[in-house]
C-alpha cells in the first residue's frame, strides 16, 4: 500500500479547501477506533468532502498517485473494514443532502452521509416507510449500510439492503462518477453495476448517493415477547405465524436467557419482559395493512401455541412504551456482553429450518472445546441469522480466552459450513474475516471476485486489506 506523500496531502487539501479535510489528531481520533475496540488505526489525513464533485477530485488525485483510501460512514461496522492503517480516510458524513423524495415512485434519493434513522424519518415525512432498521441506525449511514449490505430486524419481510436499492451514484477508483441514480423497478440491460457496489465494503468505489425503495406505512402492528423451552419451538412458531398472517411477520428475534440476564444486570432502565424466566425468548412483530389485524392475529397465534404447549409464556405490548422496552432488551444484547469481558463473536446464517439443530451442535462443540465458556446466542432467527457469541467462563483468564478467538471461531464456522451456511450473514468480511473466508469460499468464487476487482480497481487503492 502506498501512503500519501506530503505533496499528495498538500494537493488533497488544496482540492477540497477549508472544511474539506482535517489533520487534527483530536478530531480524527473518534473515527480510528471501531465500536468493539478491536481495532485502532491511524491516518495522516481525514477528508470530509461535501459533494460528489469533491469526492471525485480527491479519489482522482489518490488514483494518480496510487494512494490507498478507506471510505467511512458512521464507523459502526463490526468487522473493522472502515478503520485506516496509514491510508487516506475519506469520511462521507458531510454528504448530507436529500436529493429527492417521490412518493408516486415510492422512492427517495439521499446522499451517502445521511444516517439510517434520518432516512426512516424522511420516508415517514412523505407518508412512506423505509424499512431497514438496526440498533446502530442513529449513526450508521446510507453509504455504510449499502456497502455492507446490512440486514437488521425487518429482513424477513423486506429483504436486505441489496433488495432496497433502486439506484446508486458512486465515484469509481479512477475518480470517474458512475451515475446510476435510477428510480426504475425494471432494467434488464446486462450486468448490474449497482449490485456489485452493494456489499463491496468500499473496495470498488465510494458511494455518494442512492435511490432507495419506499413502502406503504402499515396500518396495524403488534409486538410480543414470548418464552419458549427451545429454539426448535421458535422455528415451529415462526412457520405458523408466517402461514397464519400471510407474510405479516416483520421481525422474529431469538434471545437466550443468559443474554437477558446480562441486559438486566448491566443496562439501566431494563426489566424482566415476562413474569417467568424461560430458557429462550422470541420477540415477534406482526404488521398488517388492515387496522386491528396484526393485534388480532398475534392474540390468535399465541393463544393456540400456548394451548398446544409450544410456548410457555407470552406478553403482548399494550402501548408504545412497552413495545420500546421489549426492543430495548433485544437491542442491548451485544452491549450487555461488554461488562462480562467480551468474547468470540460470530455472525452466522444457516437455513431457517436448520438453525435449532445448528445451535445444539455448535454449543456442544464449544463446550467441549472450551469447558465453561458461556454461549450467548441471539439474533434474526426468522432469516436464519444468529449472533453466536461465546464468552469467557466467569472468573476465567480473559486474555487467554480471547487469544483462542480464531481457533474457537474455526470450531463454530466449520459446523456452519456443514449446514451450507455463511460465516458472515450481515456484517461483511472486513479485516476480521477476509482471511478466514478463504477457508470456506471456493477458489472459483475468490478468483472471480479478485478478477472483478482488478478490472475496476487495477491499482487496488480502495480499501486494500478487505476482500480478495
Ligand atoms: C450496536 C450495533 C448493532 C448493529 N446491528 C446490525 C444489524 O442488525 N444488522 C447489520 O447488518 N449490521 C449491524 N451492525 C453493523 C453496522 O451498523 C453496519 O455494518 C452498518 O451498515 C455500517 O454503516 P456505517 O455507516 O457505520 O459504515 P462504516 O462502519 O463507516 O463502514 C462499513 C464498511 O463500509 C464501507 N463504507 C462506508 N461508507 C461507504 C461509502 N459511502 N462508499 C463505499 N464504502 C463505504 C467502509 O469502508 C467499511 O468497509 C450493527 C452495529 C452496531 C454497532
Amino acid at each position: 500500500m502506498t501512503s500519501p506523500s506530503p505533496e499528495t496531502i498538500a494537493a488533497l487539501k488544496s482540492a477540497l479547501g477549508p472544511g474539506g479535510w482535517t489533520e487534527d489528531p483530536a478530531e480524527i481520533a473518534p473515527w480510528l477506533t471501531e465500536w468493539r475496540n478491536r481495532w485502532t488505526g491511524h491516518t495522516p489525513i481525514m477528508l470530509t468532502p461535501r459533494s460528489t464533485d469533491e469526492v471525485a477530485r480527491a479519489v482522482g488525485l489518490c488514483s494518480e498517485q496510487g494512494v490507498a483510501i478507506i471510505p467511512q460512514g458512521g464507523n459502526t461496522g463490526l468487522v473493522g473494514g472502515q478503520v485506516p492503517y496509514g491510508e487516506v480516510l475519506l469520511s462521507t458524513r458531510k454528504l448530507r443532502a436529500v436529493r429527492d423524495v417521490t412518493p408516486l415512485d415510492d422512492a427517495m434519493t439521499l446522499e451517502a452521509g445521511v444516517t439510517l434513522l434520518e432516512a426512516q424519518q424522511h420516508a415517514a415525512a412523505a407518508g412512506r416507510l423505509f424499512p431497514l432498521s438496526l440498533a446502530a441506525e442513529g449513526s450508521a449511514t446510507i453509504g455504510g449500510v449499502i456497502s455492507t449490505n446490512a440486514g437488521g430486524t425487518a429482513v424477513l419481510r423486506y429483504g436486505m439492503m441489496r433488495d432496497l436499492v433502486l439506484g446508486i451514484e458512486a465515484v469509481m477508483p479512477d475518480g470517474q462518477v458512475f451515475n446510476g441514480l435510477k428510480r426504475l423497478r425494471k432494467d434488464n440491460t446486462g450486468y448490474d453495476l449497482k449490485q456489485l457496489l452493494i456489499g463491496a465494503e468500499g473496495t470498488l468505489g465510494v458511494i455518494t448517493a442512492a435511490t432507495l425503495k419506499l413502502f406503504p406505512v402499515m396500518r396495524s402492528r403488534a409486538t410480543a415477547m414470548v418464552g419458549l423451552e427451545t429454539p426448535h419451538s421458535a422455528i415451529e412458531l415462526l412457520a405458523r405465524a408466517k402461514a397464519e398472517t400471510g407474510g405479516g411477520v416483520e421481525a422474529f428475534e431469538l434471545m437466550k436467557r443468559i443474554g437477558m440476564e446480562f441486559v438486566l444486570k448491566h443496562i439501566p432502565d431494563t426489566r424482566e419482559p415476562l413474569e417467568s424466566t424461560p430458557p429462550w425468548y422470541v420477540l415477534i412483530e406482526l404488521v398488517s395493512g388492515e387496522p386491528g389485524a396484526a393485534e388480532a392475529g398475534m392474540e390468535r397465534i399465541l393463544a393456540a401455541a400456548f394451548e398446544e404447549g409450544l410456548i410457555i409464556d407470552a406478553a403482548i405490548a399494550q402501548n408504545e412504551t412497552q413495545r420500546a422496552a421489549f426492543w430495548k432488551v433485544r437491542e442491548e444484547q451485544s452491549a450487555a456482553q461488554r461488562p462480562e469481558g467480551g468474547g468470540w463473536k460470530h455472525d452466522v446464517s444457516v437455513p431457517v429450518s436448520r438453525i435449532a439443530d445448528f445451535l445444539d451442535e455448535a454449543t456442544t462443540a464449544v463446550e467441549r472445546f472450551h469447558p465453561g465458556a458461556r454461549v450467548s446466542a441471539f439474533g434474526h432467527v426468522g432469516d436464519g441469522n444468529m449472533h453466536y457469541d461465546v464468552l469467557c467462563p466467569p472468573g476465567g483468564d480473559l486474555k487467554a480466552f480471547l487469544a483462542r478467538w480464531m481457533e474457537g471461531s474455526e470450531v463454530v464456522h466449520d459446523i456452519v459450513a456443514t449446514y451450507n451456511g455463511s460465516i458472515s450473514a450481515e456484517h461483511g468480511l472486513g479485516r476480521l474475516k477476509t482471511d478466514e473466508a478463504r477457508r470456506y469460499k471456493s477458489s472459483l468464487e475468490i478468483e472471480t471476485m479478485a478478477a472483478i476487482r482488478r478490472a475496476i480497481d487495477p491499482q487496488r487503492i480502495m480499501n486494500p486489506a478487505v476482500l480478495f
Side-chain angles (χ1 to χ4, degrees):
M1 192 235 355
T2 309
S3 296
S5 64
E7 293 72 31
T8 306
I9 289 182
L12 286 167
K13 287 184 193 170
S14 126
L16 298 191
W21 55 272
T22 175
E23 290 174 306
D24 177 356
E27 227 180 294
I28 297 176
W31 308 104
L32 297 178
T33 298
E34 58 80 58
W35 193 75
R36 288 174 178 154
N37 279 324
R38 194 173 151 82
W39 293 272
T40 296
H42 55 95
T43 183
I45 187 164
M46 180 165 83
L47 306 179
T48 52
R50 292 144 296 196
S51 65
T52 302
D53 185 48
E54 287 189 357
V55 176
R57 267 185 266 159
V59 174
L61 270 166
C62 288
S63 171
E64 278 165 28
Q65 303 300 320
V67 163
I69 303 166
I70 306 282
Q72 190 190 75
N75 191 23
T76 69
L78 294 174
V79 288
Q82 72 280 16
V83 182
Y85 279 83
E87 299 93 342
V88 166
L89 181 60
L90 191 154
S91 167
T92 59
R93 284 185 307 281
K94 287 190 181 168
L95 300 174
R96 304 269 313 136
V98 176
R99 300 241 186 117
D100 61 65
V101 182
T102 40
L104 278 184
D105 287 326
D106 286 317
M108 65 179 175
T109 302
L110 307 178
E111 291 192 345
V114 172
T115 67
L116 179 52
L117 182 63
E118 289 164 342
Q120 295 162 359
Q121 290 164 345
H122 291 308
R128 295 289 188 275
L129 170 77
F130 182 65
L132 194 90
S133 176
L134 44 86
E137 62 199 20
S139 307
T141 61
I142 290 305
V145 294
I146 292 175
S147 299
T148 60
N149 184 26
T153 53
V155 172
L156 200 51
R157 187 172 161 86
Y158 298 100
M160 295 187 64
M161 198 56 193
R162 190 178 291 292
D163 303 301
L164 303 176
V165 177
L166 293 171
I168 278 184
E169 176 192 88
V171 173
M172 304 307 283
D174 61 0
Q176 288 192 74
V177 178
F178 161 58
N179 187 351
L181 288 177
K182 294 184 173 177
R183 296 203 294 261
L184 305 177
R185 304 277 158 165
K186 289 187 160 184
D187 179 15
N188 268 351
T189 51
Y191 301 147
D192 189 342
L193 185 47
K194 81 172 177 301
Q195 285 295 343
L196 264 184
L197 286 156
I198 299 171
E201 301 188 45
T203 61
L204 299 181
V206 181
I207 292 168
T208 48
T211 303
L212 308 176
K213 276 187 199 170
L214 301 178
F215 294 83
V217 175
M218 289 291 110
R219 300 264 169 76
S220 66
R221 178 176 296 276
T223 309
M225 188 68 82
V226 176
L228 313 103
E229 287 292 352
T230 71
H232 295 270
S233 314
I235 299 310
E236 173 63 29
L237 181 65
L238 170 66
R240 288 183 188 199
K242 283 203 276 196
E244 180 84 16
T245 58
V249 184
E250 189 177 278
F252 198 90
E253 301 280 313
L254 184 70
M255 288 161 278
K256 207 176 168 188
R257 177 66 198 165
I258 190 172
M260 190 65 77
E261 282 166 6
F262 294 157
V263 168
L264 299 172
K265 187 167 153 199
H266 300 300
I267 307 291
D269 303 323
T270 53
R271 48 192 285 265
E272 291 278 4
L274 295 174
E275 281 174 15
S276 62
T277 55
W280 292 89
Y281 296 80
V282 162
L283 174 57
I284 309 176
E285 199 142 283
L286 301 183
V287 292
S288 171
E290 209 183 305
E295 294 88 337
M298 185 73 91
E299 277 177 24
R300 216 170 38 244
I301 292 161
L302 295 184
F306 189 73
E307 207 149 286
E308 290 167 42
L310 186 63
I311 64 175
I312 51 182
D313 201 354
I316 299 177
Q318 297 302 314
N319 49 46
E320 195 47 44
T321 312
Q322 219 175 347
R323 174 175 179 260
F326 287 172
W327 274 107
K328 184 164 181 171
V329 294
R330 160 61 188 90
E331 285 175 347
E332 297 289 351
Q333 291 281 314
S334 188
Q337 290 176 6
R338 276 194 196 171
E340 294 289 324
W344 313 332
K345 310 280 185 175
H346 307 100
D347 164 39
V348 300
S349 64
V350 300
V352 175
S353 61
R354 305 301 315 282
I355 194 112
D357 296 331
F358 160 75
L359 287 169
D360 290 345
E361 194 178 337
T363 303
T364 305
V366 162
E367 281 165 1
R368 202 178 314 123
F369 176 75
H370 199 103
R374 297 171 292 169
V375 171
S376 177
F378 66 94
H380 320 298
V381 70
D383 33 80
N385 174 199
M386 289 304 291
H387 299 309
Y388 187 88
D389 298 340
V390 184
L391 278 77
C392 188
D397 179 346
L398 181 63
K399 207 166 160 216
F401 179 77
L402 291 177
R404 299 192 84 191
W405 182 339
M406 288 302 129
E407 244 184 301
S409 287
E410 215 171 290
V411 172
V412 174
H413 289 161
D414 282 355
I415 295 171
V416 169
T418 66
Y419 285 79
N420 209 4
S422 169
I423 67 160
S424 184
E426 60 175 10
H427 295 161
L429 295 179
R431 292 182 183 273
L432 180 65
K433 292 185 188 164
T434 289
D435 283 341
E436 205 186 351
R438 292 181 192 278
R439 270 172 65 81
Y440 302 103
K441 278 200 163 312
S442 67
S443 52
L444 174 84
E445 285 172 289
I446 291 174
E447 280 157 25
T448 307
M449 281 166 77
I452 290 169
R453 184 177 192 161
R454 275 195 302 278
I456 294 177
D457 181 14
Q459 301 187 88
R460 203 181 173 96
I461 60 166
M462 297 301 310
N463 216 344
V466 166
L467 303 188
F468 312 111

